[in-house]
């Protein structure tokens, strides 16, 4: 079952992290990647406080490439709302968008995550941002289909919240 697989993955991540901390140290990119993955796994298991520790570990490091740090801030930003800290999540995702400017695919993905969080708190900003991001994606040759699908999903969520069910259905099925 899925929960058993997550538990197995958790044990592997914990062993892997312990080994990397011992051999590579806490500021090594490989160590930080495992810590971030461990945080995501704990998030999925609903162990939010433990997850927060590992996400914080990834954010306390200097000298790492911005694109890599952007992914760590993205993971942290997606974790925060699960703990009821939506504003902190928005702050982390804003930071991630800034750090990911040199990698358009990552920036688009992270920006979509940010806009997804804003649907609940700032509907107009989320709508404008999603429309602009979709226009950017449609202008690319070839367009990034995965990012487009994620933006359409968030557009569907926005329309659903606004009780625009036909538009929501069209976005979800596009």
């Amino acid at each position: 079952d899925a929960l058993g697989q997550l538990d197995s993955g958790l044990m592997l991540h914990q062993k892997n992290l312990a080994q990397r901390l011992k051999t590579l140290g806490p500021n090594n990119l490989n160590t930080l990647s495992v810590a971030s993955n461990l945080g995501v796994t704990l998030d999925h298991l609903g162990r939010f406080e433990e997850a927060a520790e590992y996400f914080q570990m990834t954010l306390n490091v200097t000298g790492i490439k911005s694109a890599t740090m952007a992914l760590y801030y993205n993971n942290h930003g997606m974790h925060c709302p699960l703990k009821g800290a939506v504003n902190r999540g928005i702050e982390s995702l804003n930071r991630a968008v800034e750090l990911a400017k040199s990698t358009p695919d990552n920036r688009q993905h992270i920006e979509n995550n940010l806009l997804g969080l804003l649907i609940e708190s700032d509907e107009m900003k989320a709508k404008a941002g999603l429309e602009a991001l979709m226009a950017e994606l449609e202008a690319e040759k070839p367009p990034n289909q995965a990012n487009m699908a994620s933006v359409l999903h968030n557009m569907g969520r926005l329309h659903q919240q606004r009780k625009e069910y036909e538009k929501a259905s069209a976005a979800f099925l596009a």
Side-chain angles (χ1 to χ4, degrees), residues 131-143:
E131 288 171 350
L133 187 53
M134 183 56 82
E136 178 185 332
L137 286 163
E138 288 173 337
E140 290 180 351
K141 301 296 181 223

Side-chain angles (χ1 to χ4, degrees), residues 6-77:
L6 281 173
D7 282 332
S8 290
L10 178 63
M11 286 189 304
L12 288 173
H13 285 314
Q14 288 170 326
K15 287 180 185 176
N16 195 357
L17 181 61
Q19 181 181 24
R20 288 173 192 255
L21 283 167
K22 184 177 179 179
T23 58
L24 302 173
N27 296 331
N28 179 277
L29 189 56
N30 292 316
T31 303
L32 295 170
S33 179
V34 173
S36 184
N37 290 337
L38 184 53
V40 170
T41 303
L42 287 163
D43 243 7
H44 289 300
L45 288 168
R47 294 164 60 178
F48 306 128
E49 294 303 319
E50 289 174 80
E53 292 174 34
Y54 293 102
F55 289 129
Q56 200 58 50
M57 179 181 174
T58 65
L59 301 181
N60 290 336
V61 177
T62 57
I64 304 290
K65 286 185 184 177
S66 354
T68 302
M69 285 305 294
L71 296 176
Y72 297 155
Y73 273 97
N74 177 69
N75 288 347
H76 180 257

Side-chain angles (χ1 to χ4, degrees), residues 93-111:
L93 288 168
N94 273 319
R95 178 77 174 123
V97 168
E98 287 299 313
L99 289 167
K101 283 188 174 180
S102 64
T103 54
D105 285 352
N106 284 347
R107 183 201 43 84
Q108 292 164 347
H109 170 78
I110 294 166
E111 189 171 334

